[in-house]
């Protein structure tokens, strides 16, 4: 039975969808109050930021003469938003749809999803941490004015009182996986590959009972340890900000000036939900071009769908991207938390069920 058919039979099932409506309204009110510009960017694009950790949707555009053009559904609005920032828009946000293929077999994934992105000028990612805390409290206050600092999710109390737990990746690995970051990295090395040699991580993975082989990348082995031994402990009872990601996972974030093994990137977790991903934005177009090349090579290696890199994005960086930090928040997962539902299928009116 489809969602609309269930809703027609049982009016009480509308509750989570109406909470979703209020959450999205509160998000807009929060950013208007903060003086941000709201923008709209395209969903259908001719080029993308190469990301080997995502699979894309492709389609074909026909012009009036039936000439064909290869197109993509945007995996996020990031590139378009940063072009507007390079143009001088200043603080801005967007609530939009994004698309990622191969992400439908999970209680927290849907191939078409709603994403919130915002960017603050002239700040590091610590400012975005405070934005998150304030946004969550603002939403909660709009939903439950008498209990604005906590909520219940799947029978567990979640304390939203700031400051939230902040733990570095190095601290989390030591605390939950029992390994030192120094044990499998080389701080004094010059290149990322030399800093993060896979042969230093293989014996650690083997000792822990994993079965690495010569085909595994450093990132694959690291993620095995992180996802199994660290991630389950994050966001229990309160939101957790995990910061200081390894440089190979920098994506579009700046590398730390204090230790080149770490990137100025954080993610937000709460009760098993990965809710947000934030960067102090990389503004060096030459470095970004190198990362584009590495990601394209990795996409080819993993036999994923080839992409057309967004060279206009590199041009925007070269023109001059001001110092800023930005974040992407999964709106569907955020609504799951505030509506107290366990599956993303229960917060979407038209989920993409493949069965």
């Amino acid at each position: 039975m489809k969602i609309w058919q269930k809703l027609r039979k049982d009016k009480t099932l509308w509750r989570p969808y109406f909470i979703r409506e209020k959450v999205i309204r509160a998000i807009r009110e929060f950013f208007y109050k903060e003086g941000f510009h709201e923008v709209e960017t395209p969903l259908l694009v001719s080029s993308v930021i190469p990301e080997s950790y995502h699979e894309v949707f492709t389609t074909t555009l026909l012009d009036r003469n039936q000439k064909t053009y290869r197109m993509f559904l945007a995996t996020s609005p990031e590139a378009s938003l940063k072009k507007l920032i390079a143009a001088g828009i200043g603080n801005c946000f967007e609530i939009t749809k994004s698309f990622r293929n191969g992400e439908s077999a999970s209680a927290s994934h849907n191939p078409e999803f709603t994403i919130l992105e915002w960017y603050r000028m002239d700040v590091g990612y610590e400012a975005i941490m405070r934005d998150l805390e304030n946004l969550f409290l603002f939403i909660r206050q709009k939903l439950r004015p008498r209990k604005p600092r906590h909520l219940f999710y799947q029978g567990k109390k979640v304390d939203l009182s700031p400051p939230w737990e902040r733990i570095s990746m190095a601290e989390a690995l030591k605390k939950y996986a029992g390994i030192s970051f120094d044990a499998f990295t080389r701080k004094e090395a010059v290149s990322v590959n030399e800093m993060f040699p896979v042969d230093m991580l293989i014996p650690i993975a083997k000792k822990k009972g994993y079965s690495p082989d010569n085909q595994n990348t450093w990132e694959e082995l690291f993620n095995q340890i992180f996802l199994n031994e660290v991630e389950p402990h994050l966001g229990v009872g309160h939101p957790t900000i995990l910061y200081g990601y390894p440089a190979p996972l920098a994506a579009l974030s700046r590398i730390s000036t204090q230790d080149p093994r770490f990137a100025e990137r954080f993610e937000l977790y709460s009760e098993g939900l990965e809710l947000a991903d934030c960067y102090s934005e990389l503004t060096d177009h030459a470095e970004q071009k190198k990362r584009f090349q590495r990601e394209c090579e990795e996409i080819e290696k993993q036999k994923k769908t080839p992409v057309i890199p967004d060279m206009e994005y590199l041009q925007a960086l070269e023109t001059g991207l001001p110092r800023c930090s930005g974040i992407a928040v999964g709106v569907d997962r955020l609504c799951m938390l505030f509506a107290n539902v366990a599956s993303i299928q229960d917060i979407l009116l038209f989920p993409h069920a493949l069965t």
Side-chain angles (χ1 to χ4, degrees):
M1 187 181 296
K2 301 297 183 181
I3 299 294
W4 68 269
Q5 294 169 322
K6 294 179 181 178
L7 292 169
R8 181 179 172 86
K9 290 185 67 175
D10 185 352
K11 302 302 182 185
T12 65
L13 298 179
W14 283 102
R15 177 187 170 275
Y17 305 105
F18 291 155
I19 290 177
R20 178 192 179 97
E21 176 188 12
K22 293 177 181 177
V23 168
I24 293 175
R25 184 187 304 154
I27 291 171
R28 282 198 164 89
E29 186 177 342
F30 175 83
F31 285 105
Y32 291 155
K33 179 176 65 71
E34 291 286 315
F36 279 57
H37 295 287
E38 182 176 11
V39 300
E40 293 179 294
T41 60
L43 302 181
L44 185 66
V45 294
S46 59
S47 58
V48 298
I49 294 173
E51 298 169 304
S52 61
Y53 40 88
H54 292 149
E55 181 60 277
V56 297
F57 283 95
T58 62
T59 187
T60 301
L61 176 68
L62 297 175
D63 68 12
R64 296 178 68 178
N65 298 313
Q66 299 300 296
K67 184 178 179 180
T68 62
Y69 301 85
R70 187 162 180 254
M71 303 290 285
F72 304 90
L73 295 179
T75 58
S76 85
E78 182 171 6
S80 296
L81 286 168
K82 287 181 183 175
K83 292 170 190 176
L84 296 177
I85 292 169
I89 192 172
N91 295 347
C92 59
F93 81 100
E94 181 175 19
I95 302 171
T96 188
K97 293 289 187 181
S98 291
F99 304 84
R100 294 174 189 173
N101 216 342
E103 296 193 357
S104 57
S106 164
S108 59
H109 287 90
N110 196 65
E112 175 186 353
F113 61 97
T114 302
I115 191 170
L116 159 68
E117 286 203 13
W118 77 84
Y119 292 82
R120 268 195 189 274
M121 302 304 104
D122 200 29
V123 297
Y125 67 170
E126 297 85 358
I128 306 297
M129 296 179 188
R130 294 189 291 273
D131 274 347
L132 270 176
E133 292 170 339
N134 293 335
L135 175 62
F136 272 55
L137 288 177
F138 186 82
I139 294 171
R140 185 58 179 165
Q141 195 277 332
K142 290 293 180 179
L143 295 176
R144 294 288 297 274
R146 295 183 179 180
K147 296 181 179 180
R149 291 184 175 264
H150 73 268
L151 55 82
F152 285 91
Y153 183 72
Q154 301 302 292
K156 299 174 183 177
K157 184 177 180 180
V158 181
D159 185 0
L160 299 179
S161 301
W164 294 343
E165 179 187 33
R166 289 160 167 76
I167 185 170
S168 72
M169 180 67 80
E171 292 169 334
L173 285 168
K174 187 68 175 178
K175 182 176 182 179
Y176 299 121
I179 56 175
S180 167
F181 202 76
D182 294 333
F184 59 91
T185 61
R186 295 192 180 107
K187 183 177 181 179
E188 305 306 323
V190 177
S191 70
V192 171
N193 286 340
E194 292 170 341
M195 285 182 194
F196 297 87
V198 68
D199 58 359
M200 289 184 72
L201 193 52
I202 285 175
I204 294 174
K206 285 182 176 178
K207 189 175 180 180
K208 286 180 162 293
Y210 301 103
S211 301
D213 59 42
N214 294 331
Q215 301 302 314
N216 287 128
T217 64
W218 185 93
E219 185 176 338
E220 287 170 340
L221 293 182
F222 177 82
N223 280 335
Q224 275 191 311
I225 296 171
F226 172 73
L227 294 174
N228 286 294
E229 302 184 33
V230 176
E231 195 175 63
H233 299 282
L234 304 175
V236 179
H238 46 71
T240 296
I241 292 172
L242 178 71
Y243 67 92
Y245 270 59
L249 307 179
L252 277 69
S253 63
R254 286 203 308 256
I255 298 299
S256 170
T257 56
Q258 298 179 347
D259 189 331
R261 294 175 299 170
F262 297 100
E264 293 187 7
R265 174 185 178 185
F266 77 76
E267 291 194 351
L268 173 68
Y269 291 85
S270 185
E271 301 305 325
L273 295 171
E274 178 192 327
L275 294 167
D277 190 5
C278 173
Y279 310 146
S280 290
E281 301 296 342
L282 178 66
T283 58
D284 183 337
H285 77 280
E287 170 60 24
Q288 189 62 74
K289 185 176 181 180
K290 292 178 185 177
R291 295 188 193 180
F292 270 27
Q293 291 169 342
R294 285 200 298 267
E295 286 299 303
C296 286
E297 290 169 2
E298 189 62 29
I299 287 169
E300 183 178 4
K301 181 180 176 181
Q302 294 183 27
K303 295 182 172 55
K304 289 190 173 180
T305 304
V307 300
I308 301 172
D310 189 343
M311 304 310 290
E312 188 181 294
Y313 174 74
L314 295 181
Q315 184 182 357
L317 292 189
E318 188 174 8
T319 301
L321 185 73
R323 178 174 178 258
C324 61
S325 289
I327 189 167
V329 178
V331 173
D332 306 312
R333 295 181 186 179
L334 183 66
C335 292
M336 286 171 61
L337 185 68
F338 281 103
N340 190 17
V341 298
S343 173
I344 198 169
Q345 303 288 315
D346 298 325
I347 203 69
L348 301 174
L349 287 167
F350 296 95
H352 290 277
L354 300 180
T355 55

